[in-house]
C-alpha cells in the first residue's frame, strides 16, 4: 500500500463538532486529568477502488486499544473505540478532512488511524497504522504489520516509545479474540441487529467466553434502554444477563466492563448498595473510565459527596473530561439542566450538538421532548417529522407527534399517531391520551378500557402515568356509580378527622 494511498485513507473521519460538550467542559469544577486522550479510530479497509468501515476494522482498533489500556500509562489514555459511535452516524464516517478538527474540538490530543487490506490472494491482511498529534499532519509513528495478537502487542510498545510514555507491565496475557467476538459489538454499531442477536445466542451457548458475554450484555442493555422496555421485559432479560455477567466477573475479577455492566443491572433493579460497590471497584481498576461517573449519577448524592461531587452535573462534567464522546453524559447533563429550570442552557447545548450531526436521533429526541415541554409546537413538529423520516419504526416519535397535534386541537390526527405508536410498540402512554380523547367524546366505556390497559402496562411504582391512569379510572368508575362517594380518599380523610 503506498504512502499516498494510506494518507488519503487516514483523513477519513466523522463530520462532527462538539460545541455542546465544550460548553460543559468550560463549566466543570473538577480538575482536568493530566493525561493525553488518544482515540484509535476503526481501521479502514482498502478495497480495489474504495475504502470502507467494516466490523473487522473495528475489531482491529479494539484489539490495539485493549493492549494500550492494559499498560495503564499515567500519561496517555486510549478512549474506548466504540465511544465514537455514541455520537457518530455510521453513514458519515467517510467525510474527509475533518478528523483533526474533531480532535481539536473534543480535546483529544492524539489520533490513531489505520488502514488494512488483503495480502494478494491470501486470506491474511496487511495493515498500516499512523499516530498523529492533532496539531500536526506529520505522523509521530508509522508502522506496517500483519494483524495478530503479537503484532498488536509490538505496536503498543512502539506507540508508547514514540510518545516517550512510561507504562506498567501489561496485565493482558491472553489477547482478545478480535477475529470473532468483537463482531457482536461492531455489527451492532453498524446496524446489523440480526447478527448482534445471533451473537447473543452464541453467548448463551458459549458460556466460557467472558468477552462475548460482555458484548452480548452491552447490546441487550442498549436495546432495552432505547426501546424503553416495560418492567416485565427488563426482568426477563436480567434473569438471563445476570448469570452471564457473574460468570464473566468470576473469570476476571478485575474486569472493568463486566463490573460496569453488572452495576447497570443493579441500578435497574434499584439495588443501590450493590451498584455503588461495583462502580467503586471499576473506578479503582480504571479511574479514567467515564461510565463509572455517568452511572454514579443515578445514585443519591450522599453516596458520592465524599468524592468531591455535589450533584449529577458535576459527575457528567467530569465524565466528559475523561471522554468527550460520552453521549450519555451529554444527555444526562442536559436533563439535569432541564430539571433545574435551566432549559435554555440545555436546549442550547443540544442544539450545538445537533449542528455537528443534524441526524443524530438521540439528540433530536431529547430536543423534541424539551420543545414539547415548552409548548414550542412548530419546532417539536419539525423535529419529530425528521425523526420519523430517519426511523419510521420509532413509536415514541409517533406518540410525541400525537401530543403535538393533541395540543393543536387536531384530535383526529392525534388519534392516528397514538394508534400508530401502539401498533409499532404497544406504546403504554399513548393509551392514556386515547383515554382522554375518548372521554372528551363521551365514550366512557372506551376511555375506561384504555385506562385499564395503561395500568396493566405499568413499569413499576414510580410510573407516574400509570398512577394518573388509576386516578382517572377511579373518577370514571365513580361517575358510573360503581364507587360510593363515602369511599373517596378525601372523604375517608374527613371522616377520620371527625372521629
Amino acid at each position: 500500500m503506498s504512502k499516498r494511498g494510506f494518507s488519503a485513507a487516514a483523513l477519513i473521519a466523522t463530520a462532527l463538532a462538539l460545541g455542546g460538550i465544550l460548553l460543559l467542559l468550560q463549566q466543570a469544577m473538577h480538575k482536568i486529568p493530566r493525561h493525553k486522550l488518544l482515540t484509535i479510530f476503526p481501521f479502514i479497509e482498502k478495497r480495489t477502488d474504495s475504502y470502507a468501515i467494516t466490523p473487522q476494522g473495528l475489531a482491529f482498533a479494539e484489539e490495539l486499544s485493549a493492549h494500550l489500556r492494559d499498560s495503564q500509562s499515567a500519561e496517555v489514555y486510549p478512549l474506548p473505540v466504540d465511544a465514537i459511535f455514541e455520537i457518530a452516524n455510521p453513514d458519515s464516517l467517510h467525510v474527509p478532512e475533518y478528523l483533526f478538527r474533531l480532535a481539536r474540538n473534543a480535546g483529544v490530543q492524539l489520533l490513531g488511524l489505520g488502514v488494512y487490506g488483503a495480502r494478494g490472494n491470501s486470506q491474511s491482511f496487511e495493515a498500516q497504522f499512523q499516530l498523529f498529534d492533532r496539531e500536526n499532519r506529520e505522523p509521530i509513528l508509522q508502522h506496517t504489520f500483519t494483524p495478530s495478537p503479537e503484532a498488536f502487542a509490538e505496536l503498543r510498545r512502539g506507540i508508547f516509545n514514540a510518545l516517550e510514555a512510561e507504562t506498567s507491565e501489561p496485565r493482558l496475557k491472553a489477547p482478545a479474540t478480535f477475529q470473532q467476538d468483537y463482531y457482536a459489538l461492531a455489527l451492532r454499531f453498524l446496524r446489523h441487529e440480526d447478527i448482534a442477536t445471533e451473537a447473543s445466542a452464541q453467548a448463551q451457548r458459549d458460556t466460557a467466553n467472558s468477552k462475548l458475554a460482555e458484548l452480548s450484555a452491552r447490546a441487550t442493555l442498549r436495546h432495552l434502554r432505547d426501546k424503553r422496555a416495560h418492567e416485565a421485559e427488563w426482568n426477563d432479560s436480567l434473569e438471563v444477563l445476570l448469570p452471564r455477567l457473574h460468570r464473566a466477573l468470576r473469570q476476571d475479577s478485575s474486569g472493568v466492563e463486566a463490573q460496569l455492566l453488572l452495576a447497570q443491572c443493579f441500578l435497574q433493579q434499584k439495588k443501590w448498595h450493590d451498584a455503588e460497590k461495583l462502580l467503586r471497584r471499576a473506578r479503582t481498576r480504571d479511574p479514567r473510565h467515564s461510565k463509572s461517573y455517568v452511572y454514579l449519577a443515578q445514585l443519591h448524592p450522599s453516596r458520592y459527596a465524599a468524592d468531591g461531587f455535589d450533584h449529577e452535573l458535576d459527575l457528567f462534567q467530569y465524565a466528559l473530561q475523561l471522554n468527550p464522546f460520552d453521549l450519555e453524559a451529554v444527555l444526562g447533563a442536559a436533563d439535569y439542566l432541564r430539571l433545574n429550570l435551566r432549559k435554555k442552557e440545555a436546549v442550547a447545548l443540544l442544539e450545538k450538538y445537533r449542528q455537528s450531526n443534524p441526524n443524530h436521533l438521540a439528540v433530536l429526541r431529547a430536543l423534541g421532548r424539551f420543545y414539547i415541554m415548552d409548548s414550542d409546537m412548530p419546532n417539536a413538529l419539525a423535529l419529530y417529522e425528521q425523526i420519523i423520516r430517519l426511523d419510521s419504526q420509532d413509536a415514541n416519535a409517533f406518540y410525541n407527534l400525537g401530543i403535538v397535534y393533541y395540543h393543536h386541537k387536531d384530535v383526529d390526527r392525534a388519534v392516528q399517531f397514538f394508534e400508530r405508536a401502539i401498533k409499532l410498540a404497544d406504546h403504554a402512554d399513548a393509551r392514556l391520551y386515547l383515554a382522554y380523547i375518548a372521554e372528551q367524546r363521551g365514550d366512557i366505556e372506551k376511555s375506561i378500557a384504555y385506562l385499564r390497559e395503561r395500568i396493566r402496562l405499568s413499569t413499576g411504582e414510580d410510573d407516574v402515568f400509570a398512577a394518573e391512569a388509576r386516578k382517572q379510572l377511579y373518577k370514571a368508575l365513580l361517575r358510573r356509580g360503581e364507587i360510593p362517594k363515602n369511599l373517596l380518599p378525601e372523604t375517608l380523610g374527613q371522616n377520620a378527622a371527625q372521629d
Side-chain angles (χ1 to χ4, degrees):
M1 190 180 299
S2 68
K3 182 177 180 180
R4 174 182 291 182
F6 178 73
S7 298
L11 292 175
I12 295 178
T14 307
L16 296 167
L18 300 178
I21 291 180
L22 290 179
L23 176 66
L24 284 180
L25 296 184
Q26 292 168 0
Q27 298 175 345
M29 298 172 60
H30 292 271
K31 192 174 184 179
I32 296 177
R34 291 186 175 181
H35 55 255
K36 290 184 175 181
L37 296 177
L38 165 63
T39 296
I40 306 294
F41 283 88
F43 280 54
I44 298 166
E45 183 182 12
K46 183 180 184 299
R47 297 176 176 174
T48 304
D49 55 357
S50 64
Y51 296 95
I53 301 293
T54 66
Q56 183 74 65
L58 280 162
F60 288 156
E62 172 59 21
E63 174 77 353
L64 176 57
S65 184
H67 278 276
L68 291 167
R69 280 196 302 273
D70 210 61
S71 295
Q72 297 183 342
S73 168
E75 302 164 61
V76 179
Y77 182 67
L79 296 173
V81 171
D82 61 314
I84 185 63
F85 288 94
E86 292 202 42
I87 60 174
N89 184 335
D91 298 335
S92 70
L93 286 173
H94 294 80
V95 177
E97 295 293 335
Y98 210 86
L99 192 55
F100 286 87
R101 184 149 61 107
L102 168 64
R104 284 193 297 271
N105 289 342
V108 174
Q109 295 91 344
L110 301 167
L111 302 82
L113 309 176
V115 177
Y116 77 97
R119 184 194 295 273
N121 295 324
S122 68
Q123 297 298 313
S124 63
F125 296 111
E126 180 180 76
Q128 289 184 319
F129 177 84
Q130 288 184 326
L131 179 67
F132 292 91
D133 183 281
R134 69 184 184 198
E135 304 298 340
N136 193 342
R137 296 301 180 93
E138 289 298 317
I140 301 171
L141 170 71
Q142 297 187 78
H143 187 75
T144 301
F145 64 104
T146 298
S148 70
E150 296 74 21
F152 282 116
E154 180 183 352
L155 178 53
R156 169 188 57 79
R157 290 190 291 270
I159 290 172
F160 285 131
N161 287 338
L163 297 173
E164 299 181 351
E166 296 183 4
T167 64
S168 63
E169 183 64 25
R171 182 180 60 87
L172 196 65
K173 302 301 180 183
T177 54
F178 61 87
Q179 293 281 3
Q180 296 178 356
D181 295 352
Y182 199 70
Y183 279 9
L185 185 60
L187 287 165
R188 182 160 188 86
F189 283 115
L190 290 173
R191 300 175 178 170
H192 292 274
E193 302 289 340
D194 53 337
I195 305 179
T197 301
E198 171 56 30
S200 179
Q202 184 182 340
Q204 260 185 302
R205 297 190 295 267
D206 187 3
T207 57
N209 191 326
S210 61
K211 184 171 178 62
L212 190 56
E214 292 171 12
L215 296 174
S216 170
R218 289 177 69 182
T220 301
L221 290 173
R222 178 183 290 267
H223 175 68
L224 291 170
R225 286 196 303 269
D226 288 349
K227 71 176 292 190
R228 298 171 64 189
H230 299 310
E231 185 177 24
E233 186 174 358
W234 268 103
N235 292 337
D236 291 343
S237 298
L238 293 180
E239 190 175 341
V240 175
L241 290 181
L242 286 170
R244 293 187 200 171
L245 292 173
H246 281 298
R247 281 195 299 269
L249 208 51
R250 285 196 298 270
Q251 292 171 19
D252 182 5
S253 60
S254 62
V256 173
E257 290 300 330
Q259 290 169 1
L260 291 173
L261 289 164
L262 199 52
Q264 289 182 67
C265 296
F266 287 148
L267 288 170
Q268 179 63 33
Q269 295 178 315
K270 300 181 181 178
K271 295 181 177 179
W272 313 121
H273 178 71
D274 293 335
E276 180 189 3
K277 194 162 63 172
L278 278 170
L279 291 172
R280 293 195 177 282
R281 285 174 58 187
R283 286 177 61 195
T284 299
R285 174 68 181 119
D286 185 358
R288 298 178 292 186
H289 199 303
S290 65
K291 294 301 183 188
S292 297
Y293 304 91
V294 171
Y295 301 144
L296 271 175
Q298 298 183 42
L299 300 175
H300 190 273
S302 62
R303 293 183 180 271
Y304 51 74
D307 300 319
F309 300 100
D310 295 330
H311 41 62
E312 301 101 295
L313 188 60
D314 274 358
L315 287 161
F316 293 135
Q317 289 172 339
Y318 194 70
L320 288 170
Q321 293 173 8
L322 297 169
N323 180 1
F325 301 138
D326 195 321
L327 179 64
E328 286 184 282
V330 175
L331 297 178
D335 202 46
Y336 178 91
L337 293 169
R338 174 184 64 81
L339 292 173
N340 285 272
L341 306 180
R342 296 162 65 179
K343 292 181 182 178
K344 288 185 178 179
E345 294 175 66
V347 171
L349 168 62
L350 293 170
E351 283 289 4
K352 288 182 179 180
Y353 206 120
R354 181 188 178 195
Q355 291 172 10
S356 306
N357 188 348
N359 291 329
H360 198 297
L361 281 169
V363 174
L364 293 175
R365 289 165 181 150
L367 275 169
R369 289 191 292 272
F370 279 107
Y371 287 133
I372 285 179
M373 290 178 61
D374 286 340
S375 298
D376 185 347
M377 295 308 160
N379 270 323
L381 184 62
L383 273 173
Y384 283 109
E385 287 178 344
Q386 181 182 357
I387 290 170
I388 287 174
R389 286 196 299 271
L390 295 168
D391 181 4
S392 62
Q393 302 301 304
D394 189 330
N396 284 320
F398 284 99
Y399 163 71
N400 283 297
L401 269 176
I403 294 175
V404 172
Y405 283 107
Y406 179 81
H407 288 293
H408 272 178
K409 310 300 182 185
D410 190 343
V411 176
D412 290 337
R413 189 166 292 184
V415 168
Q416 292 176 7
F417 283 116
F418 289 138
E419 290 178 343
R420 177 67 172 164
I422 293 173
K423 183 177 180 180
L424 283 172
D426 200 22
H427 201 287
D429 295 339
R431 288 173 162 83
L432 187 57
Y433 274 93
L434 287 172
Y436 294 152
I437 293 171
E439 182 186 6
Q440 292 166 11
R441 290 174 168 176
D443 193 341
I444 301 300
E445 295 299 325
K446 194 170 186 179
S447 178
I448 289 174
Y450 279 127
L451 291 170
R452 282 175 167 156
E453 287 180 20
R454 178 59 188 89
I455 294 168
R456 176 180 60 81
L457 295 171
S458 172
T459 58
E461 294 180 1
D462 56 352
D463 187 335
V464 295
F465 288 104
E468 174 66 17
R470 291 188 186 95
K471 179 180 176 182
Q472 295 301 323
L473 178 61
Y474 194 91
K475 291 179 178 179
L477 293 175
L478 181 64
R479 284 196 298 273
R480 280 204 324 193
E482 294 186 18
I483 300 177
K485 287 187 177 181
N486 65 335
L487 292 182
L488 284 171
E490 57 268 27
T491 306
L492 290 172
Q494 292 172 3
N495 293 337
Q498 292 172 0
D499 294 340

